Amino acid sequence: MGLMFGVVDERGEISAMHKGVPQNDLGIRSDVLNNIKKSLGIKMLVRSMSPRVIIADEIGTSEDASAIQYALSSGVKGIFTAHGSSLEDLKANPIFREMFSLNLFERVIVLDSDVKGKIKEIA
């Protein structure tokens, strides 16, 4: 039961890694790459760990976008976060604009503090 997934945790914010051991329980089917650039970690997971899903936070470089495109074209799904004040703000960013134009995202979820704690989902 469950899916094999990989986490690229560049700064240890997801797994809270300490001496090579995640302090946050991510489950027995997880592989965590810590202290490595997201773009490199995504490619390493695809090539060597056979994940069904890759998770990474705070994407934002052209290298990240290229690695995500590589993973998706290899049949791996992804869950990625990015910072922006709105969906329009992200679409104005050249890196994300290209990703949107390539239809790389199946679903976008916007956490909006103006909606008083509610989540807006944009399919």
Side-chain angles (χ1 to χ4, degrees), residues 74-116:
S74 298
V76 179
K77 298 285 185 181
I79 299 172
F80 306 105
T81 67
H83 288 270
S85 60
S86 66
L87 182 61
E88 292 73 27
D89 182 43
L90 287 178
K91 287 183 175 180
N93 180 314
I95 294 162
F96 291 111
R97 183 173 42 244
E98 180 179 352
M99 294 175 81
F100 280 110
S101 73
L102 295 171
N103 292 316
L104 296 182
F105 302 114
E106 183 176 310
R107 179 162 290 142
V108 175
I109 298 173
V110 177
L111 302 178
D112 188 346
S113 61
D114 292 337
V115 188
K116 299 188 186 300

Side-chain angles (χ1 to χ4, degrees), residues 3-8 42 45-46 51-57 59 64 67-82 99 103-109:
L3 294 173
M4 296 291 293
F5 69 96
V7 178
V8 182
I42 290 169
L45 284 170
V46 170
R52 298 279 307 275
V53 177
I54 292 177
I55 299 168
D57 67 341
I59 61 169
D64 294 345
I68 290 168
Q69 188 172 1
Y70 170 76
L72 296 176
S73 67
S74 298
V76 179
K77 298 285 185 181
I79 299 172
F80 306 105
T81 67
M99 294 175 81
N103 292 316
L104 296 182
F105 302 114
E106 183 176 310
R107 179 162 290 142
V108 175
I109 298 173

Side-chain angles (χ1 to χ4, degrees), residues 31-75:
D31 290 306
V32 179
L33 297 181
N34 186 285
N35 198 26
I36 189 169
K37 285 181 62 171
K38 284 181 278 294
S39 56
L40 180 57
I42 290 169
K43 291 177 182 177
M44 287 174 65
L45 284 170
V46 170
R47 291 179 184 150
S48 61
M49 305 308 279
S50 305
R52 298 279 307 275
V53 177
I54 292 177
I55 299 168
D57 67 341
E58 299 179 19
I59 61 169
T61 68
S62 58
E63 292 85 9
D64 294 345
S66 175
I68 290 168
Q69 188 172 1
Y70 170 76
L72 296 176
S73 67
S74 298

Side-chain angles (χ1 to χ4, degrees), residues 4-5 25-31:
M4 296 291 293
F5 69 96
D25 184 3
L26 301 181
I28 61 171
R29 289 178 165 60
S30 64
D31 290 306

